[in-house]
Coordinates of all heavy atoms in Angstrom, one line a residue:
H246 N 0.8 -1.2 0.1 CA 0.0 0.0 0.0 C 0.8 1.3 0.0 O 2.0 1.2 0.5 CB -0.9 0.0 1.2 CG -0.3 0.3 2.5 ND1 0.4 -0.7 3.3 CD2 -0.2 1.4 3.2 CE1 0.9 -0.1 4.3 NE2 0.6 1.1 4.4
H247 N 0.4 2.2 -0.5 CA 1.0 3.6 -0.5 C 0.7 4.2 0.8 O -0.5 4.3 1.2 CB 0.5 4.4 -1.7 CG 1.0 5.9 -1.6 ND1 0.0 6.8 -1.6 CD2 2.1 6.4 -1.6 CE1 0.6 8.0 -1.5 NE2 1.9 7.8 -1.6
K248 N 1.6 4.7 1.5 CA 1.4 5.1 3.0 C 0.3 6.2 3.1 O -0.5 6.1 3.9 CB 2.7 5.5 3.6 CG 3.8 4.5 3.6 CD 3.5 3.2 4.3 CE 4.6 2.3 4.2 NZ 4.5 1.3 3.1
E249 N 0.6 7.2 2.3 CA -0.4 8.4 2.4 C -1.9 7.9 2.1 O -2.8 8.2 2.7 CB 0.0 9.5 1.4 CG 0.7 10.5 2.2 CD 1.1 11.6 1.2 OE1 0.2 12.2 0.5 OE2 2.3 11.9 1.0
G250 N -2.0 7.2 0.9 CA -3.3 6.9 0.4 C -3.9 5.6 1.1 O -5.2 5.5 1.1
G251 N -3.1 4.7 1.6 CA -3.8 3.4 2.1 C -3.4 3.0 3.4 O -3.8 1.8 3.8
S252 N -2.8 3.7 4.3 CA -2.2 3.3 5.5 C -3.4 2.9 6.5 O -3.3 1.9 7.2 CB -1.3 4.3 6.2 OG -2.0 5.5 6.4
V253 N -4.5 3.7 6.5 CA -5.5 3.4 7.5 C -6.3 2.1 7.0 O -6.7 1.3 7.8 CB -6.6 4.6 7.5 CG1 -7.8 4.2 8.3 CG2 -5.8 5.8 8.3
L254 N -6.5 2.0 5.7 CA -7.2 0.8 5.1 C -6.3 -0.5 5.4 O -6.8 -1.5 5.7 CB -7.5 1.0 3.7 CG -8.2 -0.1 3.1 CD1 -9.6 -0.5 3.7 CD2 -8.4 0.1 1.5
A255 N -5.0 -0.4 5.1 CA -4.1 -1.4 5.4 C -4.1 -1.9 6.8 O -4.2 -3.1 7.1 CB -2.7 -1.1 4.9
R256 N -4.1 -0.9 7.7 CA -4.2 -1.2 9.2 C -5.5 -2.0 9.5 O -5.5 -3.0 10.3 CB -4.1 0.1 10.0 CG -4.1 -0.1 11.5 CD -2.9 -0.8 12.1 NE -1.7 -0.2 11.7 CZ -0.5 -0.9 11.8 NH1 -0.4 -2.1 12.2 NH2 0.6 -0.2 11.3
W257 N -6.6 -1.4 8.9 CA -7.9 -2.0 9.2 C -7.9 -3.5 8.7 O -8.3 -4.4 9.3 CB -9.0 -1.3 8.5 CG -10.4 -1.9 8.7 CD1 -11.2 -1.8 9.7 CD2 -11.0 -2.7 7.7 NE1 -12.3 -2.5 9.6 CE2 -12.3 -3.1 8.3 CE3 -10.7 -3.2 6.5 CZ2 -13.2 -3.9 7.7 CZ3 -11.7 -4.0 5.9 CH2 -12.8 -4.4 6.4
F258 N -7.3 -3.7 7.4 CA -7.2 -5.1 6.9 C -6.5 -6.0 7.9 O -6.9 -7.2 8.0 CB -6.6 -5.1 5.5 CG -7.5 -5.1 4.4 CD1 -8.0 -4.0 3.8 CD2 -7.9 -6.3 3.8 CE1 -8.9 -4.0 2.7 CE2 -8.7 -6.4 2.8 CZ -9.2 -5.3 2.2
K259 N -5.4 -5.4 8.3 CA -4.6 -6.3 9.2 C -5.4 -6.7 10.5 O -5.4 -7.9 10.9 CB -3.3 -5.5 9.6 CG -2.4 -6.3 10.6 CD -1.2 -5.7 11.0 CE -0.4 -6.6 12.0 NZ 1.0 -6.1 12.2
L260 N -6.1 -5.7 11.1 CA -6.8 -6.1 12.3 C -8.0 -7.0 12.0 O -8.2 -7.9 12.8 CB -7.3 -4.7 12.9 CG -6.3 -3.8 13.4 CD1 -6.9 -2.4 13.8 CD2 -5.5 -4.3 14.6
E261 N -8.6 -6.9 10.9 CA -9.7 -7.7 10.5 C -9.2 -9.2 10.2 O -9.8 -10.1 10.6 CB -10.4 -7.2 9.4 CG -11.5 -6.0 9.7 CD -12.6 -6.5 10.7 OE1 -13.2 -7.5 10.5 OE2 -12.6 -5.8 11.7
L262 N -8.1 -9.2 9.5 CA -7.6 -10.5 9.0 C -7.1 -11.3 10.3 O -7.2 -12.6 10.4 CB -6.5 -10.4 8.0 CG -7.0 -9.9 6.6 CD1 -5.9 -9.6 5.7 CD2 -7.8 -11.0 6.0
A263 N -6.6 -10.6 11.2 CA -6.0 -11.2 12.5 C -7.1 -11.9 13.3 O -6.8 -12.8 14.0 CB -5.3 -10.2 13.3
T264 N -8.4 -11.5 13.1 CA -9.4 -12.2 13.8 C -9.8 -13.5 13.1 O -10.7 -14.2 13.6 CB -10.7 -11.3 13.9 OG1 -11.3 -11.0 12.7 CG2 -10.3 -9.9 14.6
K265 N -9.4 -13.7 11.9 CA -9.9 -14.8 11.1 C -8.7 -15.9 10.8 O -9.0 -16.9 10.2 CB -10.4 -14.3 9.8 CG -11.5 -13.4 10.0 CD -12.1 -12.8 8.8 CE -13.3 -11.8 9.0 NZ -13.7 -11.5 10.2
T266 N -7.6 -15.6 11.4 CA -6.5 -16.6 11.1 C -5.5 -16.6 12.3 O -5.4 -15.6 13.0 CB -5.7 -16.2 9.8 OG1 -4.7 -17.2 9.6 CG2 -5.0 -14.9 9.9
F267 N -4.9 -17.7 12.5 CA -3.8 -17.8 13.5 C -2.5 -17.5 12.9 O -1.5 -17.4 13.6 CB -3.8 -19.2 14.1 CG -5.0 -19.5 14.9 CD1 -6.0 -20.4 14.5 CD2 -5.2 -18.8 16.1 CE1 -7.1 -20.6 15.2 CE2 -6.4 -19.1 16.9 CZ -7.3 -19.9 16.4
D268 N -2.4 -17.3 11.5 CA -1.1 -17.0 10.9 C -0.7 -15.5 11.2 O -1.7 -14.7 11.5 CB -1.2 -17.2 9.4 CG -1.3 -18.6 9.0 OD1 -0.8 -19.4 9.7 OD2 -1.8 -18.9 7.9
G269 N 0.5 -15.2 11.2 CA 0.9 -13.8 11.3 C 0.4 -13.0 10.1 O 0.3 -13.5 9.1
I270 N 0.2 -11.8 10.4 CA -0.2 -10.8 9.4 C 1.0 -9.8 9.3 O 1.3 -9.0 10.3 CB -1.5 -10.1 9.7 CG1 -2.6 -11.0 10.1 CG2 -1.9 -9.2 8.6 CD1 -3.1 -11.9 8.9
F271 N 1.6 -9.8 8.1 CA 2.7 -8.9 7.9 C 2.2 -7.6 7.3 O 1.5 -7.5 6.3 CB 3.7 -9.5 7.0 CG 4.8 -8.7 6.6 CD1 5.8 -8.3 7.3 CD2 4.8 -8.2 5.2 CE1 6.9 -7.4 6.9 CE2 5.8 -7.3 4.7 CZ 6.8 -6.9 5.6
L272 N 2.5 -6.4 7.9 CA 2.3 -5.2 7.3 C 3.6 -4.4 7.2 O 4.2 -4.2 8.3 CB 1.3 -4.4 8.2 CG 0.8 -3.0 7.7 CD1 0.1 -3.1 6.4 CD2 -0.2 -2.3 8.7
D273 N 4.0 -4.1 6.0 CA 5.4 -3.5 5.8 C 5.7 -2.3 6.7 O 6.8 -2.2 7.1 CB 5.7 -3.3 4.4 CG 4.7 -2.2 3.7 OD1 3.8 -1.8 4.4 OD2 4.9 -1.9 2.5
S274 N 4.7 -1.5 6.9 CA 5.0 -0.3 7.7 C 5.2 -0.6 9.2 O 5.7 0.3 9.9 CB 3.9 0.7 7.6 OG 2.6 0.1 8.0
D275 N 4.9 -1.8 9.6 CA 5.3 -2.2 11.0 C 6.8 -2.6 11.1 O 7.3 -2.9 12.2 CB 4.4 -3.4 11.4 CG 3.0 -3.1 11.6 OD1 2.6 -1.9 11.8 OD2 2.2 -4.0 11.7
M276 N 7.5 -2.7 9.9 CA 8.8 -3.1 9.9 C 9.7 -2.3 9.3 O 10.7 -2.7 8.5 CB 8.9 -4.6 9.4 CG 8.1 -5.6 10.1 SD 8.4 -7.3 9.6 CE 7.6 -8.2 10.8
L277 N 9.6 -1.0 9.5 CA 10.4 0.0 8.9 C 12.0 -0.2 9.3 O 12.9 0.3 8.6 CB 9.9 1.4 9.2 CG 8.6 1.7 8.6 CD1 8.2 3.1 9.0 CD2 8.5 1.5 7.1
D278 N 12.2 -0.8 10.4 CA 13.6 -1.1 10.8 C 14.2 -2.3 10.0 O 15.4 -2.6 10.2 CB 13.7 -1.3 12.3 CG 12.8 -2.5 12.8 OD1 11.9 -2.8 12.1 OD2 13.2 -3.1 13.8
R279 N 13.4 -3.0 9.2 CA 13.9 -4.0 8.4 C 13.7 -3.9 6.9 O 13.4 -4.9 6.2 CB 13.2 -5.4 8.9 CG 13.5 -5.7 10.4 CD 12.7 -6.8 10.9 NE 12.8 -8.1 10.1 CZ 12.1 -9.1 10.2 NH1 11.0 -9.1 11.1 NH2 12.3 -10.2 9.5
L280 N 13.8 -2.8 6.4 CA 13.6 -2.5 5.0 C 14.4 -3.3 4.1 O 14.1 -3.7 3.0 CB 13.7 -1.0 4.7 CG 12.7 0.0 5.2 CD1 13.0 1.4 4.9 CD2 11.3 -0.4 4.6
D281 N 15.6 -3.7 4.6 CA 16.5 -4.5 3.7 C 16.1 -5.9 3.5 O 16.5 -6.6 2.7 CB 17.9 -4.5 4.4 CG 17.9 -5.1 5.8 OD1 17.0 -4.9 6.6 OD2 19.0 -5.8 6.2
Q282 N 15.0 -6.2 4.4 CA 14.5 -7.6 4.2 C 13.1 -7.7 3.6 O 12.6 -8.8 3.4 CB 14.5 -8.2 5.6 CG 15.8 -8.4 6.2 CD 15.7 -8.9 7.7 OE1 14.8 -9.5 8.1 NE2 16.7 -8.5 8.5
I283 N 12.5 -6.6 3.3 CA 11.1 -6.5 2.9 C 10.9 -7.4 1.6 O 9.9 -8.2 1.5 CB 10.7 -5.1 2.6 CG1 10.7 -4.2 3.8 CG2 9.4 -5.0 1.8 CD1 9.5 -4.4 4.7
F284 N 11.8 -7.4 0.6 CA 11.5 -8.1 -0.5 C 11.7 -9.6 -0.3 O 10.9 -10.5 -0.8 CB 12.5 -7.7 -1.7 CG 12.3 -6.3 -2.2 CD1 13.3 -5.7 -2.8 CD2 11.1 -5.6 -2.1 CE1 13.2 -4.4 -3.3 CE2 11.0 -4.3 -2.5 CZ 12.0 -3.7 -3.1
E285 N 12.6 -10.0 0.5 CA 12.7 -11.4 1.0 C 11.5 -11.9 1.7 O 10.9 -13.0 1.4 CB 14.0 -11.5 1.8 CG 14.2 -12.9 2.4 CD 14.6 -13.9 1.4 OE1 15.1 -13.6 0.3 OE2 14.3 -15.1 1.6
I286 N 11.0 -11.0 2.6 CA 9.9 -11.5 3.3 C 8.6 -11.6 2.5 O 7.9 -12.6 2.5 CB 9.5 -10.4 4.5 CG1 10.6 -10.5 5.5 CG2 8.1 -10.6 5.0 CD1 10.6 -9.3 6.5
T287 N 8.5 -10.7 1.5 CA 7.3 -10.8 0.6 C 7.3 -12.0 -0.3 O 6.3 -12.6 -0.6 CB 7.1 -9.5 -0.2 OG1 8.0 -8.4 0.2 CG2 5.8 -9.0 -0.2
A288 N 8.5 -12.3 -0.7 CA 8.7 -13.4 -1.7 C 8.7 -14.7 -1.1 O 8.1 -15.7 -1.6 CB 10.0 -13.2 -2.5
H289 N 9.3 -14.9 0.2 CA 9.5 -16.2 0.7 C 8.9 -16.5 2.1 O 8.9 -17.7 2.6 CB 11.0 -16.5 0.7 CG 11.7 -16.3 -0.6 ND1 11.5 -17.2 -1.6 CD2 12.5 -15.4 -1.1 CE1 12.2 -16.8 -2.7 NE2 12.8 -15.8 -2.4
Q290 N 8.2 -15.5 2.7 CA 7.7 -15.7 4.0 C 6.2 -15.3 4.0 O 5.6 -15.1 5.1 CB 8.5 -15.0 5.0 CG 9.9 -15.4 5.2 CD 10.6 -14.7 6.2 OE1 10.1 -14.3 7.2 NE2 11.9 -14.5 6.1
T291 N 5.6 -15.2 2.8 CA 4.3 -14.7 2.7 C 3.4 -15.7 1.9 O 3.9 -16.3 0.8 CB 4.3 -13.4 1.8 OG1 5.1 -12.5 2.5 CG2 2.9 -12.8 1.7
K292 N 2.3 -16.1 2.4 CA 1.3 -16.9 1.7 C 0.4 -16.2 0.7 O 0.1 -16.7 -0.3 CB 0.5 -17.7 2.7 CG 1.2 -18.6 3.6 CD 0.3 -19.4 4.6 CE 1.0 -20.3 5.5 NZ 0.1 -20.9 6.5
N293 N -0.1 -15.0 1.2 CA -0.9 -14.3 0.5 C -0.6 -12.8 0.5 O -0.2 -12.3 1.7 CB -2.4 -14.4 1.0 CG -2.9 -15.8 0.8 OD1 -3.2 -16.3 -0.3 ND2 -3.1 -16.5 1.9
L294 N -0.6 -12.1 -0.6 CA -0.3 -10.6 -0.5 C -1.5 -9.9 -0.9 O -2.0 -10.1 -2.0 CB 0.9 -10.4 -1.5 CG 1.2 -8.9 -1.6 CD1 1.9 -8.4 -0.3 CD2 2.2 -8.6 -2.8
V295 N -2.0 -9.1 0.0 CA -3.1 -8.1 -0.3 C -2.5 -6.8 -0.7 O -1.8 -6.3 0.1 CB -4.1 -8.0 0.9 CG1 -5.1 -7.0 0.6 CG2 -4.6 -9.4 1.3
V296 N -2.8 -6.4 -1.9 CA -2.2 -5.1 -2.4 C -3.3 -4.1 -2.3 O -4.3 -4.2 -3.1 CB -1.6 -5.3 -3.8 CG1 -1.1 -4.0 -4.3 CG2 -0.6 -6.4 -3.9
I297 N -3.1 -3.1 -1.5 CA -4.1 -1.9 -1.5 C -3.6 -1.0 -2.6 O -2.6 -0.3 -2.5 CB -4.0 -1.2 -0.1 CG1 -4.2 -2.2 1.0 CG2 -5.0 -0.1 0.0 CD1 -5.5 -2.8 1.2
L298 N -4.4 -1.0 -3.6 CA -4.1 -0.1 -4.8 C -4.7 1.2 -4.7 O -5.9 1.4 -4.9 CB -4.6 -0.9 -6.1 CG -3.9 -2.2 -6.5 CD1 -4.5 -2.9 -7.5 CD2 -2.4 -1.9 -6.9
T299 N -3.9 2.2 -4.4 CA -4.3 3.6 -4.5 C -3.7 4.3 -5.7 O -3.1 3.6 -6.4 CB -3.7 4.4 -3.2 OG1 -2.4 4.4 -3.3 CG2 -4.3 3.6 -1.9
K300 N -4.0 5.5 -5.9 CA -3.5 6.2 -7.1 C -2.0 6.1 -7.2 O -1.5 6.0 -8.3 CB -3.9 7.7 -7.0 CG -3.6 8.5 -8.2 CD -4.1 9.9 -8.2 CE -3.6 10.7 -9.4 NZ -4.1 12.0 -9.5
E301 N -1.2 6.0 -6.1 CA 0.2 6.1 -6.1 C 0.9 4.7 -6.0 O 2.1 4.6 -6.2 CB 0.7 7.1 -5.1 CG 0.3 8.5 -5.4 CD 1.0 9.0 -6.7 OE1 2.1 8.8 -7.0 OE2 0.3 9.7 -7.4
T302 N 0.2 3.7 -5.5 CA 0.8 2.4 -5.2 C 1.9 1.9 -6.2 O 2.9 1.7 -5.8 CB -0.2 1.3 -4.9 OG1 -1.1 1.7 -3.9 CG2 0.4 0.1 -4.5
L303 N 1.4 1.8 -7.4 CA 2.3 1.3 -8.5 C 3.4 2.3 -8.9 O 4.3 1.9 -9.7 CB 1.5 0.8 -9.7 CG 0.5 -0.3 -9.4 CD1 -0.3 -0.6 -10.6 CD2 1.1 -1.5 -8.8
R304 N 3.3 3.5 -8.5 CA 4.3 4.5 -8.8 C 5.4 4.6 -7.7 O 6.3 5.4 -7.9 CB 3.6 5.8 -9.1 CG 2.8 5.7 -10.3 CD 1.8 6.9 -10.4 NE 1.0 6.9 -11.7 CZ -0.1 6.1 -11.9 NH1 -0.5 5.4 -10.8 NH2 -0.7 6.1 -13.0
R305 N 5.3 3.9 -6.7 CA 6.3 3.9 -5.6 C 7.2 2.7 -5.7 O 6.7 1.6 -5.8 CB 5.5 3.9 -4.2 CG 4.5 5.0 -4.0 CD 5.3 6.3 -3.9 NE 4.3 7.4 -3.6 CZ 4.6 8.7 -3.5 NH1 5.9 9.1 -3.6 NH2 3.7 9.6 -3.3
I306 N 8.4 3.0 -5.8 CA 9.4 1.9 -6.2 C 9.4 0.8 -5.1 O 9.5 -0.4 -5.4 CB 10.8 2.5 -6.3 CG1 11.7 1.4 -6.9 CG2 11.4 3.0 -5.0 CD1 11.5 1.2 -8.3
W307 N 9.2 1.1 -3.7 CA 9.2 0.1 -2.8 C 7.9 -0.7 -2.9 O 8.0 -2.0 -2.7 CB 9.3 0.7 -1.3 CG 10.7 1.1 -1.0 CD1 11.2 2.3 -1.1 CD2 11.7 0.2 -0.6 NE1 12.6 2.2 -0.7 CE2 12.9 0.9 -0.4 CE3 11.7 -1.2 -0.3 CZ2 14.1 0.4 0.0 CZ3 13.0 -1.7 0.1 CH2 14.1 -0.9 0.3
C308 N 6.8 -0.2 -3.1 CA 5.6 -0.9 -3.3 C 5.6 -1.7 -4.5 O 5.3 -3.0 -4.5 CB 4.3 0.0 -3.5 SG 4.0 1.2 -2.1
A309 N 6.1 -1.2 -5.6 CA 6.2 -2.0 -6.8 C 7.2 -3.2 -6.7 O 6.9 -4.3 -7.1 CB 6.7 -1.2 -8.0
G310 N 8.3 -2.9 -5.9 CA 9.2 -4.0 -5.6 C 8.6 -5.1 -4.8 O 9.0 -6.3 -5.0
E311 N 7.9 -4.8 -3.8 CA 7.2 -5.8 -2.9 C 6.3 -6.6 -3.8 O 6.3 -7.9 -3.7 CB 6.4 -5.1 -1.8 CG 7.3 -4.5 -0.7 CD 6.5 -3.8 0.3 OE1 5.6 -4.5 0.9 OE2 6.8 -2.6 0.5
I312 N 5.5 -6.0 -4.7 CA 4.5 -6.7 -5.5 C 5.3 -7.6 -6.5 O 4.9 -8.8 -6.6 CB 3.6 -5.7 -6.3 CG1 2.8 -4.9 -5.2 CG2 2.8 -6.4 -7.2 CD1 2.1 -3.6 -5.9
A313 N 6.3 -7.1 -7.1 CA 7.1 -7.8 -8.0 C 7.8 -9.0 -7.4 O 7.8 -10.2 -8.0 CB 8.1 -7.0 -8.8
S314 N 8.3 -8.8 -6.2 CA 8.9 -9.9 -5.5 C 7.9 -11.0 -5.2 O 8.2 -12.2 -5.4 CB 9.5 -9.4 -4.1 OG 10.6 -8.4 -4.4
A315 N 6.8 -10.7 -4.8 CA 5.7 -11.7 -4.5 C 5.3 -12.4 -5.8 O 5.2 -13.6 -5.8 CB 4.5 -11.0 -3.7
I316 N 5.0 -11.7 -6.8 CA 4.6 -12.3 -8.0 C 5.6 -13.2 -8.6 O 5.3 -14.3 -9.0 CB 4.1 -11.2 -9.0 CG1 2.8 -10.5 -8.5 CG2 3.9 -11.8 -10.4 CD1 2.3 -9.4 -9.3
N317 N 6.9 -12.8 -8.7 CA 8.0 -13.7 -9.1 C 8.1 -14.9 -8.3 O 8.6 -16.0 -8.8 CB 9.3 -12.9 -9.1 CG 9.3 -11.9 -10.3 OD1 8.7 -12.1 -11.3 ND2 10.2 -10.9 -10.2
A318 N 7.7 -15.0 -7.0 CA 7.8 -16.1 -6.2 C 6.5 -16.9 -6.2 O 6.2 -17.8 -5.4 CB 8.2 -15.7 -4.8
N319 N 5.5 -16.5 -7.1 CA 4.2 -17.1 -7.2 C 3.4 -17.0 -5.9 O 2.6 -18.0 -5.6 CB 4.4 -18.6 -7.6 CG 5.0 -18.7 -9.0 OD1 4.5 -18.0 -9.9 ND2 6.0 -19.6 -9.2
V320 N 3.5 -16.0 -5.2 CA 2.7 -15.8 -4.0 C 1.3 -15.4 -4.5 O 1.2 -14.5 -5.4 CB 3.4 -14.7 -3.1 CG1 2.4 -14.3 -2.0 CG2 4.6 -15.1 -2.5
N321 N 0.3 -16.0 -3.9 CA -1.1 -15.6 -4.2 C -1.2 -14.0 -3.9 O -1.0 -13.7 -2.8 CB -2.1 -16.4 -3.4 CG -3.5 -16.2 -3.7 OD1 -3.8 -16.0 -4.9 ND2 -4.4 -16.1 -2.8
T322 N -1.7 -13.3 -4.9 CA -1.7 -11.9 -4.8 C -3.2 -11.5 -5.0 O -3.9 -11.8 -5.9 CB -0.9 -11.1 -5.9 OG1 0.4 -11.6 -5.6 CG2 -0.9 -9.6 -5.6
I323 N -3.8 -10.6 -4.0 CA -5.2 -10.2 -4.0 C -5.2 -8.7 -4.1 O -4.8 -8.0 -3.2 CB -5.8 -10.7 -2.7 CG1 -5.8 -12.1 -2.6 CG2 -7.4 -10.1 -2.7 CD1 -4.9 -12.6 -1.6
P324 N -5.5 -8.2 -5.3 CA -5.5 -6.6 -5.4 C -6.9 -6.1 -4.8 O -7.9 -6.7 -5.0 CB -5.5 -6.5 -6.9 CG -6.0 -7.7 -7.5 CD -5.7 -8.8 -6.5
V325 N -6.8 -5.0 -4.1 CA -7.9 -4.3 -3.6 C -7.8 -2.9 -4.3 O -7.0 -2.1 -3.7 CB -7.9 -4.3 -2.2 CG1 -9.1 -3.5 -1.6 CG2 -8.0 -5.7 -1.6
A326 N -8.6 -2.6 -5.2 CA -8.5 -1.3 -5.9 C -9.4 -0.3 -5.1 O -10.5 -0.5 -4.9 CB -8.9 -1.4 -7.4
C327 N -8.7 0.8 -4.7 CA -9.5 1.9 -4.0 C -10.0 2.9 -5.0 O -9.5 3.0 -6.1 CB -8.5 2.6 -3.0 SG -7.8 1.5 -1.7
T328 N -10.9 3.6 -4.5 CA -11.4 4.8 -5.4 C -10.3 5.6 -5.7 O -9.4 5.9 -4.9 CB -12.6 5.6 -4.6 OG1 -13.6 4.6 -4.3 CG2 -13.0 6.7 -5.4
G329 N -10.2 6.0 -6.9 CA -9.1 6.9 -7.4 C -7.8 6.1 -7.9 O -6.9 6.7 -8.4
F330 N -7.8 4.8 -7.8 CA -6.7 3.9 -8.3 C -6.7 4.2 -9.8 O -7.6 4.2 -10.6 CB -7.0 2.5 -8.1 CG -6.0 1.6 -8.9 CD1 -4.7 1.6 -8.5 CD2 -6.5 0.8 -9.8 CE1 -3.8 0.9 -9.3 CE2 -5.6 -0.1 -10.6 CZ -4.2 0.0 -10.3
D331 N -5.4 4.4 -10.2 CA -5.1 4.7 -11.6 C -4.0 3.8 -12.1 O -2.9 4.0 -11.8 CB -4.7 6.3 -11.6 CG -4.5 6.7 -13.1 OD1 -5.0 6.1 -14.0 OD2 -3.7 7.7 -13.3
P332 N -4.4 2.8 -13.0 CA -3.3 1.9 -13.5 C -2.2 2.7 -14.2 O -2.4 3.8 -14.7 CB -4.0 1.0 -14.4 CG -5.6 1.2 -14.1 CD -5.7 2.5 -13.6
L333 N -1.1 2.1 -14.3 CA 0.0 2.7 -15.0 C -0.4 2.7 -16.5 O -1.0 1.9 -17.1 CB 1.3 1.9 -14.9 CG 1.9 1.8 -13.5 CD1 3.2 0.9 -13.5 CD2 2.3 3.2 -13.0
S334 N 0.0 3.8 -17.2 CA -0.2 4.0 -18.5 C 0.9 3.2 -19.3 O 1.9 2.8 -18.7 CB -0.2 5.5 -19.0 OG 1.1 6.0 -18.8
D335 N 0.7 3.0 -20.6 CA 1.7 2.3 -21.4 C 3.0 3.1 -21.4 O 4.1 2.6 -21.3 CB 1.2 2.2 -22.8 CG 0.1 1.1 -23.0 OD1 0.0 0.3 -22.0 OD2 -0.6 1.0 -24.0
A336 N 2.9 4.5 -21.5 CA 4.1 5.3 -21.4 C 4.8 5.2 -20.1 O 6.0 5.2 -20.1 CB 3.7 6.8 -21.6
E337 N 4.1 5.1 -19.0 CA 4.7 4.9 -17.7 C 5.5 3.6 -17.6 O 6.6 3.5 -17.1 CB 3.7 5.1 -16.6 CG 3.2 6.4 -16.3 CD 2.1 6.4 -15.2 OE1 1.1 5.8 -15.5 OE2 2.3 7.3 -14.3
I338 N 4.8 2.5 -18.1 CA 5.4 1.2 -18.1 C 6.6 1.2 -19.0 O 7.7 0.7 -18.7 CB 4.4 0.1 -18.6 CG1 3.3 0.0 -17.6 CG2 5.1 -1.2 -18.9 CD1 2.1 -0.8 -18.0
D339 N 6.6 1.8 -20.2 CA 7.7 1.9 -21.1 C 8.9 2.7 -20.4 O 10.1 2.4 -20.7 CB 7.3 2.5 -22.3 CG 6.4 1.7 -23.2 OD1 6.4 0.5 -23.0 OD2 5.8 2.3 -24.2
G340 N 8.5 3.7 -19.6 CA 9.5 4.4 -18.9 C 10.3 3.7 -17.8 O 11.4 4.2 -17.3
I341 N 9.7 2.7 -17.3 CA 10.3 1.9 -16.3 C 11.6 1.1 -16.7 O 12.5 1.0 -16.2 CB 9.3 0.9 -15.7 CG1 8.3 1.7 -15.0 CG2 10.0 0.0 -14.7 CD1 7.1 0.8 -14.4
A342 N 11.4 0.5 -18.1 CA 12.5 -0.3 -18.6 C 13.7 0.5 -18.9 O 14.0 1.5 -19.1 CB 11.9 -1.0 -19.8

């Protein structure tokens, strides 16, 4: 999730999901002291990745990196598109490469 646009929703998701499972719920903003491990955690210690898609999520390098790490590791990914979500344009995607 993009911190400005989705932090409250992400926190709510974590609290709600915690009532429905005994598994740990990882929220990246809870581990800002372990940023060097975020991609490893998302790729290899995650069963399901819920992606809170706000207008800026895919435009933030850390968010995109977490998503890409999980997808490359075949982690089940559940997108949650918020009002205002704006997918990347072809020009933006071309600009990444």
Side-chain angles (χ1 to χ4, degrees):
H246 74 278
H247 169 239
K248 305 300 179 266
E249 264 180 56
S252 59
V253 172
L254 181 58
R256 178 69 53 199
W257 179 82
F258 259 92
K259 179 178 179 175
L260 293 171
E261 284 298 308
L262 290 171
T264 68
K265 299 182 181 4
T266 183
F267 292 108
D268 289 334
I270 309 291
F271 169 76
L272 182 58
D273 60 355
S274 57
D275 289 343
M276 301 196 166
L277 296 178
D278 60 330
R279 296 175 56 193
L280 287 177
D281 60 323
Q282 299 173 25
I283 294 281
F284 297 157
E285 175 68 22
I286 292 168
T287 348
H289 302 292
Q290 298 176 33
T291 302
K292 292 180 185 177
N293 298 289
L294 178 69
V295 177
V296 180
I297 308 293
L298 293 167
T299 65
K300 183 177 181 178
E301 294 296 320
T302 303
L303 299 178
R304 292 168 179 82
R305 302 293 183 180
I306 193 71
W307 281 99
C308 297
E311 289 176 56
I312 296 164
S314 296
I316 290 172
N317 284 335
N319 295 313
V320 172
N321 185 42
T322 305
I323 303 103
V325 177
C327 297
T328 302
F330 169 63
D331 186 22
L333 295 176
S334 68
D335 290 340
E337 288 174 304
I338 292 170
D339 289 344
I341 293 171

